[in-house]
Amino acid sequence: MIIRPTSETIIWDTYKKWIQSYRDLPLLINQWANVVRWEMRTRLLLRTAEFLWQEGHTAHATEKEAIEESEKMLDIYAEFAEKWMAMPVLKGVKSPSERFAGAVETYCIEALMQDGKALQAGTSHFLGQNFAKAFDVKFLSKENTLQYVWATSWGVSTRLMGALIMAHSDDKGLVLPPKLAPIQVVIIPIYRKEEQLAEISKVAVKIKDALQAKGISVKFDDRDTYKPGWKFNEYEFKGIPVRLAIGPRDLENGTIEVARRDTLEKETYQITDIENKVEHILEQIQDNLYQKALSFREDNTYVVDSWDEFKDVIENKGGFVLAHWDGTSETEDKIKAETKATIRTIPMDGKSEEGTCVYSGKPSNQRVVFAKAY
RNA sequence: CGGGGUAUAGCGUAGUCCGGUUAGCGCGCCUGCUUUGGGAGCAGGAGGUCGCAGGUUCGAAUCCUGCUACCCCGACCA
């Protein structure tokens, strides 16, 4: 185990040895590492003393290239959150007080959990030349001048699993987006006698093969030790997106029952072409989960212009609050002290809009996002 | 680190204030029969150092002392 204050120390100590010429740039090192942090208080899946994360560190010849890199990584994280986790995120930059120590700019993606609290799901930093100067990392440019390199760093962690769970789950258990579900479809036979199971299995295995041929992961649960009802609940608990049930009645009618985890709806389909129908349903579930989370966020985002309303929303409703802020950390601190809400992000695509700070009444030209956060 | 709480069968718990049969219940587990399209029913059964170490008492899950572990809230933080 290696103990160091922050990853940058070990990375930049090494980069100093590796970087001499503009020909050595850009440089990107990504690592997956278990890290240990001293935390006064831990929180399951969100803030544990030890966790697995991915961290990338880059070095560039120009400021422009480094900024582009940190923005690109933020986009990649946002795309993963939205397209794969079906979790909408706000992209933006952190206020100076929430900024990573040593960064010139900290970019972040912020998600809203079902309990109305915000969760930072990933960060990307433009480090300027801060670490290059601290670790004396210079390169010789094409023009034969000695210059400090420009840097970025970025990462996401197993915290994303906590985010996934809190974004979609319901009272029946976990809800997994199809694109991330280890098992996307489960097939459950319904039968009385051994002979019936044998008949059903023939059909079930055929469906399983057809689904697998389309790249869909399937489990055929023909265990005789549990009853169908028990299995239904079990797979709902585990968040399997689609459940197929086949019984004697289906064999007679050439049908199959399809149940969706996201809506809990059941529907009986003709078994013909079932693999294409299921594939389509998986896509619908992926899309529906995202839309559901997006609607939830929209329903829980409030545009607020007065301090009383601000306090009321933060205290009684939760969610994101869009309000004007005078840009000072003094105001930010006071708001936090009085309401526990912090500036989660200053949206990148936020429209500029003249207004007055919700706390101090001083002029402001953009709304920022406040929320209570994990 | 401060405040609060909990510890009893694989899991969840009652009993603890006010000491007294064999520590009760639900789920799970085992056996048999009946069941199987939403967590099966009936009958019988197995399973307990009551967190650990001392003490008080004729007698301790219960009272006292010390310890340990875990949970919640706060400060810290992603």
Side-chain angles (χ1 to χ4, degrees), chain A residues 296-332:
Chain A
F296 177 83
R297 189 181 78 187
E298 285 167 355
D299 293 344
N300 289 280
T301 297
Y302 304 90
V303 176
V304 163
D305 288 311
S306 80
W307 181 235
D308 282 343
E309 194 185 354
F310 185 97
K311 283 188 292 189
D312 177 59
V313 172
I314 291 292
E315 176 70 28
N316 302 313
K317 293 179 180 165
F320 285 142
V321 173
L322 273 52
H324 281 284
W325 166 57
D326 63 19
T328 68
S329 54
E330 291 75 35
T331 295
E332 192 181 0

Short mmCIF file of all heavy atoms in Angstrom, two decimals, chain A residues 296-332:
data_model
loop_
_atom_site.label_atom_id
_atom_site.label_comp_id
_atom_site.label_asym_id
_atom_site.label_seq_id
_atom_site.Cartn_x
_atom_site.Cartn_y
_atom_site.Cartn_z
N PHE A 296 -38.31 13.01 -13.36
CA PHE A 296 -38.19 13.20 -11.91
C PHE A 296 -37.33 14.43 -11.63
O PHE A 296 -37.67 15.25 -10.78
CB PHE A 296 -37.57 11.97 -11.25
CG PHE A 296 -37.34 12.14 -9.78
CD1 PHE A 296 -38.37 11.91 -8.88
CD2 PHE A 296 -36.11 12.56 -9.30
CE1 PHE A 296 -38.17 12.11 -7.52
CE2 PHE A 296 -35.91 12.76 -7.94
CZ PHE A 296 -36.94 12.53 -7.05
N ARG A 297 -36.24 14.56 -12.37
CA ARG A 297 -35.36 15.69 -12.13
C ARG A 297 -36.07 17.00 -12.49
O ARG A 297 -35.97 17.98 -11.76
CB ARG A 297 -34.08 15.55 -12.96
CG ARG A 297 -33.04 16.60 -12.59
CD ARG A 297 -31.81 16.48 -13.43
NE ARG A 297 -31.99 17.05 -14.75
CZ ARG A 297 -31.10 16.94 -15.74
NH1 ARG A 297 -29.98 16.27 -15.53
NH2 ARG A 297 -31.33 17.49 -16.91
N GLU A 298 -36.78 16.98 -13.61
CA GLU A 298 -37.50 18.18 -14.02
C GLU A 298 -38.56 18.57 -12.99
O GLU A 298 -38.71 19.74 -12.64
CB GLU A 298 -38.13 17.98 -15.40
CG GLU A 298 -37.08 18.05 -16.50
CD GLU A 298 -37.59 17.55 -17.85
OE1 GLU A 298 -38.73 17.05 -17.92
OE2 GLU A 298 -36.81 17.64 -18.83
N ASP A 299 -39.26 17.54 -12.49
CA ASP A 299 -40.30 17.81 -11.49
C ASP A 299 -39.71 18.30 -10.17
O ASP A 299 -40.41 18.87 -9.34
CB ASP A 299 -41.12 16.54 -11.20
CG ASP A 299 -41.95 16.13 -12.40
OD1 ASP A 299 -42.13 16.96 -13.31
OD2 ASP A 299 -42.42 14.97 -12.43
N ASN A 300 -38.44 18.05 -9.97
CA ASN A 300 -37.82 18.42 -8.71
C ASN A 300 -36.73 19.48 -8.89
O ASN A 300 -35.79 19.55 -8.10
CB ASN A 300 -37.26 17.18 -8.01
CG ASN A 300 -38.36 16.29 -7.49
OD1 ASN A 300 -38.94 16.54 -6.44
ND2 ASN A 300 -38.70 15.27 -8.25
N THR A 301 -36.89 20.27 -9.94
CA THR A 301 -35.99 21.39 -10.16
C THR A 301 -36.81 22.67 -10.05
O THR A 301 -37.85 22.80 -10.70
CB THR A 301 -35.33 21.30 -11.55
OG1 THR A 301 -34.52 20.11 -11.59
CG2 THR A 301 -34.43 22.50 -11.81
N TYR A 302 -36.36 23.56 -9.17
CA TYR A 302 -37.15 24.76 -8.92
C TYR A 302 -36.36 26.02 -9.25
O TYR A 302 -35.19 26.13 -8.89
CB TYR A 302 -37.56 24.81 -7.44
CG TYR A 302 -38.30 23.58 -6.99
CD1 TYR A 302 -37.60 22.47 -6.48
CD2 TYR A 302 -39.69 23.49 -7.11
CE1 TYR A 302 -38.28 21.32 -6.09
CE2 TYR A 302 -40.38 22.36 -6.71
CZ TYR A 302 -39.67 21.27 -6.21
OH TYR A 302 -40.32 20.14 -5.82
N VAL A 303 -37.00 26.92 -9.94
CA VAL A 303 -36.39 28.22 -10.21
C VAL A 303 -36.86 29.14 -9.09
O VAL A 303 -38.06 29.34 -8.90
CB VAL A 303 -36.83 28.77 -11.58
CG1 VAL A 303 -36.25 30.17 -11.80
CG2 VAL A 303 -36.37 27.83 -12.68
N VAL A 304 -35.89 29.65 -8.34
CA VAL A 304 -36.24 30.38 -7.13
C VAL A 304 -35.60 31.77 -7.13
O VAL A 304 -34.45 31.93 -7.52
CB VAL A 304 -35.76 29.57 -5.91
CG1 VAL A 304 -35.70 30.42 -4.67
CG2 VAL A 304 -36.68 28.37 -5.68
N ASP A 305 -36.37 32.77 -6.71
CA ASP A 305 -35.85 34.14 -6.72
C ASP A 305 -35.84 34.84 -5.37
O ASP A 305 -35.28 35.91 -5.24
CB ASP A 305 -36.65 34.99 -7.72
CG ASP A 305 -36.30 34.61 -9.16
OD1 ASP A 305 -35.10 34.53 -9.47
OD2 ASP A 305 -37.23 34.35 -9.94
N SER A 306 -36.46 34.22 -4.37
CA SER A 306 -36.43 34.88 -3.06
C SER A 306 -35.80 33.95 -2.02
O SER A 306 -35.84 32.73 -2.15
CB SER A 306 -37.85 35.27 -2.62
OG SER A 306 -38.51 34.14 -2.09
N TRP A 307 -35.24 34.57 -1.00
CA TRP A 307 -34.55 33.80 0.04
C TRP A 307 -35.53 32.93 0.82
O TRP A 307 -35.21 31.79 1.16
CB TRP A 307 -33.79 34.76 0.96
CG TRP A 307 -33.04 34.07 2.06
CD1 TRP A 307 -33.14 34.30 3.39
CD2 TRP A 307 -32.05 33.03 1.91
NE1 TRP A 307 -32.30 33.47 4.09
CE2 TRP A 307 -31.62 32.68 3.20
CE3 TRP A 307 -31.52 32.35 0.80
CZ2 TRP A 307 -30.66 31.68 3.44
CZ3 TRP A 307 -30.56 31.36 1.03
CH2 TRP A 307 -30.15 31.05 2.33
N ASP A 308 -36.72 33.44 1.08
CA ASP A 308 -37.71 32.64 1.81
C ASP A 308 -38.10 31.39 1.03
O ASP A 308 -38.19 30.30 1.57
CB ASP A 308 -38.98 33.48 2.06
CG ASP A 308 -38.77 34.45 3.23
OD1 ASP A 308 -37.81 34.23 4.00
OD2 ASP A 308 -39.55 35.41 3.35
N GLU A 309 -38.31 31.61 -0.27
CA GLU A 309 -38.68 30.47 -1.11
C GLU A 309 -37.52 29.48 -1.18
O GLU A 309 -37.72 28.26 -1.15
CB GLU A 309 -39.05 30.98 -2.51
CG GLU A 309 -39.76 29.95 -3.36
CD GLU A 309 -40.01 30.44 -4.79
OE1 GLU A 309 -39.73 31.62 -5.08
OE2 GLU A 309 -40.47 29.62 -5.60
N PHE A 310 -36.31 30.01 -1.27
CA PHE A 310 -35.12 29.16 -1.32
C PHE A 310 -35.08 28.23 -0.10
O PHE A 310 -34.95 27.02 -0.22
CB PHE A 310 -33.86 30.05 -1.35
CG PHE A 310 -32.58 29.28 -1.51
CD1 PHE A 310 -31.99 29.15 -2.76
CD2 PHE A 310 -31.94 28.70 -0.41
CE1 PHE A 310 -30.79 28.45 -2.91
CE2 PHE A 310 -30.75 28.00 -0.56
CZ PHE A 310 -30.17 27.87 -1.82
N LYS A 311 -35.22 28.83 1.07
CA LYS A 311 -35.18 28.05 2.30
C LYS A 311 -36.31 27.02 2.34
O LYS A 311 -36.11 25.88 2.75
CB LYS A 311 -35.28 28.98 3.52
CG LYS A 311 -33.98 29.71 3.83
CD LYS A 311 -34.05 30.45 5.14
CE LYS A 311 -35.02 31.61 5.05
NZ LYS A 311 -34.97 32.50 6.24
N ASP A 312 -37.48 27.46 1.90
CA ASP A 312 -38.64 26.57 1.91
C ASP A 312 -38.42 25.35 1.01
O ASP A 312 -38.68 24.21 1.41
CB ASP A 312 -39.89 27.34 1.45
CG ASP A 312 -41.11 26.42 1.40
OD1 ASP A 312 -41.44 25.84 2.45
OD2 ASP A 312 -41.69 26.27 0.31
N VAL A 313 -37.93 25.59 -0.21
CA VAL A 313 -37.73 24.48 -1.14
C VAL A 313 -36.65 23.53 -0.63
O VAL A 313 -36.82 22.31 -0.63
CB VAL A 313 -37.36 25.00 -2.55
CG1 VAL A 313 -36.96 23.85 -3.46
CG2 VAL A 313 -38.54 25.76 -3.15
N ILE A 314 -35.54 24.09 -0.19
CA ILE A 314 -34.45 23.24 0.30
C ILE A 314 -34.91 22.42 1.51
O ILE A 314 -34.62 21.23 1.62
CB ILE A 314 -33.22 24.10 0.69
CG1 ILE A 314 -32.58 24.71 -0.56
CG2 ILE A 314 -32.21 23.29 1.48
CD1 ILE A 314 -31.92 23.74 -1.49
N GLU A 315 -35.63 23.07 2.38
CA GLU A 315 -36.05 22.41 3.61
C GLU A 315 -37.17 21.38 3.39
O GLU A 315 -37.11 20.27 3.90
CB GLU A 315 -36.54 23.49 4.61
CG GLU A 315 -37.11 22.95 5.90
CD GLU A 315 -36.04 22.34 6.80
OE1 GLU A 315 -34.88 22.78 6.69
OE2 GLU A 315 -36.36 21.41 7.58
N ASN A 316 -38.16 21.77 2.59
CA ASN A 316 -39.36 20.92 2.49
C ASN A 316 -39.51 20.09 1.23
O ASN A 316 -40.24 19.11 1.23
CB ASN A 316 -40.60 21.80 2.64
CG ASN A 316 -40.58 22.54 3.96
OD1 ASN A 316 -40.31 21.97 5.01
ND2 ASN A 316 -40.84 23.84 3.91
N LYS A 317 -38.83 20.49 0.15
CA LYS A 317 -39.04 19.74 -1.09
C LYS A 317 -37.80 18.98 -1.55
O LYS A 317 -37.91 17.89 -2.09
CB LYS A 317 -39.48 20.70 -2.20
CG LYS A 317 -40.88 21.29 -1.94
CD LYS A 317 -41.25 22.25 -3.05
CE LYS A 317 -42.63 22.84 -2.82
NZ LYS A 317 -42.86 24.02 -3.67
N GLY A 318 -36.63 19.57 -1.37
CA GLY A 318 -35.43 18.94 -1.88
C GLY A 318 -35.32 19.17 -3.38
O GLY A 318 -36.06 19.96 -3.95
N GLY A 319 -34.38 18.49 -4.01
CA GLY A 319 -34.20 18.65 -5.44
C GLY A 319 -33.20 19.75 -5.77
O GLY A 319 -32.50 20.26 -4.89
N PHE A 320 -33.15 20.09 -7.06
CA PHE A 320 -32.25 21.14 -7.51
C PHE A 320 -32.94 22.50 -7.44
O PHE A 320 -34.11 22.62 -7.81
CB PHE A 320 -31.83 20.89 -8.97
CG PHE A 320 -30.84 19.78 -9.15
CD1 PHE A 320 -30.93 18.93 -10.26
CD2 PHE A 320 -29.80 19.59 -8.24
CE1 PHE A 320 -29.99 17.90 -10.45
CE2 PHE A 320 -28.86 18.57 -8.42
CZ PHE A 320 -28.97 17.73 -9.53
N VAL A 321 -32.21 23.48 -6.99
CA VAL A 321 -32.74 24.83 -6.94
C VAL A 321 -31.87 25.73 -7.82
O VAL A 321 -30.67 25.85 -7.59
CB VAL A 321 -32.76 25.37 -5.50
CG1 VAL A 321 -33.17 26.84 -5.49
CG2 VAL A 321 -33.73 24.55 -4.64
N LEU A 322 -32.50 26.33 -8.80
CA LEU A 322 -31.78 27.25 -9.69
C LEU A 322 -31.96 28.67 -9.16
O LEU A 322 -33.08 29.20 -9.15
CB LEU A 322 -32.34 27.16 -11.12
CG LEU A 322 -31.75 26.10 -12.05
CD1 LEU A 322 -31.76 24.73 -11.39
CD2 LEU A 322 -32.51 26.04 -13.35
N ALA A 323 -30.87 29.26 -8.72
CA ALA A 323 -30.97 30.59 -8.14
C ALA A 323 -29.76 31.43 -8.50
O ALA A 323 -28.69 30.90 -8.82
CB ALA A 323 -31.10 30.48 -6.62
N HIS A 324 -29.94 32.73 -8.43
CA HIS A 324 -28.82 33.63 -8.69
C HIS A 324 -27.91 33.68 -7.47
O HIS A 324 -28.34 33.56 -6.33
CB HIS A 324 -29.36 35.04 -9.00
CG HIS A 324 -29.83 35.17 -10.41
ND1 HIS A 324 -28.98 35.27 -11.48
CD2 HIS A 324 -31.09 35.19 -10.93
CE1 HIS A 324 -29.68 35.36 -12.59
NE2 HIS A 324 -30.97 35.32 -12.29
N TRP A 325 -26.63 33.84 -7.78
CA TRP A 325 -25.61 33.85 -6.73
C TRP A 325 -24.61 34.94 -7.08
O TRP A 325 -24.24 35.10 -8.25
CB TRP A 325 -24.94 32.47 -6.69
CG TRP A 325 -23.66 32.39 -5.92
CD1 TRP A 325 -23.46 32.71 -4.60
CD2 TRP A 325 -22.39 31.93 -6.41
NE1 TRP A 325 -22.17 32.47 -4.23
CE2 TRP A 325 -21.48 32.00 -5.31
CE3 TRP A 325 -21.91 31.46 -7.64
CZ2 TRP A 325 -20.14 31.62 -5.43
CZ3 TRP A 325 -20.59 31.08 -7.75
CH2 TRP A 325 -19.72 31.16 -6.65
N ASP A 326 -24.17 35.68 -6.07
CA ASP A 326 -23.30 36.83 -6.34
C ASP A 326 -21.85 36.46 -6.66
O ASP A 326 -21.02 37.33 -6.91
CB ASP A 326 -23.37 37.84 -5.17
CG ASP A 326 -22.84 37.25 -3.87
OD1 ASP A 326 -22.11 36.24 -3.92
OD2 ASP A 326 -23.18 37.79 -2.80
N GLY A 327 -21.55 35.16 -6.63
CA GLY A 327 -20.21 34.74 -7.03
C GLY A 327 -19.19 34.74 -5.90
O GLY A 327 -18.03 34.37 -6.12
N THR A 328 -19.59 35.10 -4.69
CA THR A 328 -18.61 35.13 -3.60
C THR A 328 -18.72 33.87 -2.74
O THR A 328 -19.80 33.31 -2.56
CB THR A 328 -18.83 36.34 -2.68
OG1 THR A 328 -20.06 36.19 -1.96
CG2 THR A 328 -18.86 37.63 -3.47
N SER A 329 -17.57 33.44 -2.21
CA SER A 329 -17.60 32.27 -1.35
C SER A 329 -18.20 32.60 0.02
O SER A 329 -18.69 31.71 0.71
CB SER A 329 -16.20 31.67 -1.21
OG SER A 329 -15.30 32.65 -0.78
N GLU A 330 -18.18 33.88 0.38
CA GLU A 330 -18.82 34.27 1.65
C GLU A 330 -20.31 33.94 1.60
O GLU A 330 -20.85 33.33 2.52
CB GLU A 330 -18.65 35.78 1.91
CG GLU A 330 -17.24 36.24 2.21
CD GLU A 330 -16.34 36.28 0.97
OE1 GLU A 330 -16.85 36.60 -0.13
OE2 GLU A 330 -15.14 35.95 1.09
N THR A 331 -20.94 34.34 0.52
CA THR A 331 -22.38 34.08 0.37
C THR A 331 -22.64 32.58 0.33
O THR A 331 -23.55 32.07 0.99
CB THR A 331 -22.89 34.74 -0.93
OG1 THR A 331 -22.76 36.15 -0.79
CG2 THR A 331 -24.34 34.38 -1.19
N GLU A 332 -21.80 31.87 -0.43
CA GLU A 332 -21.94 30.42 -0.54
C GLU A 332 -21.85 29.77 0.84
O GLU A 332 -22.65 28.89 1.19
CB GLU A 332 -20.81 29.91 -1.45
CG GLU A 332 -20.96 28.49 -1.91
CD GLU A 332 -19.78 28.07 -2.79
OE1 GLU A 332 -18.86 28.89 -3.02
OE2 GLU A 332 -19.77 26.92 -3.23
#
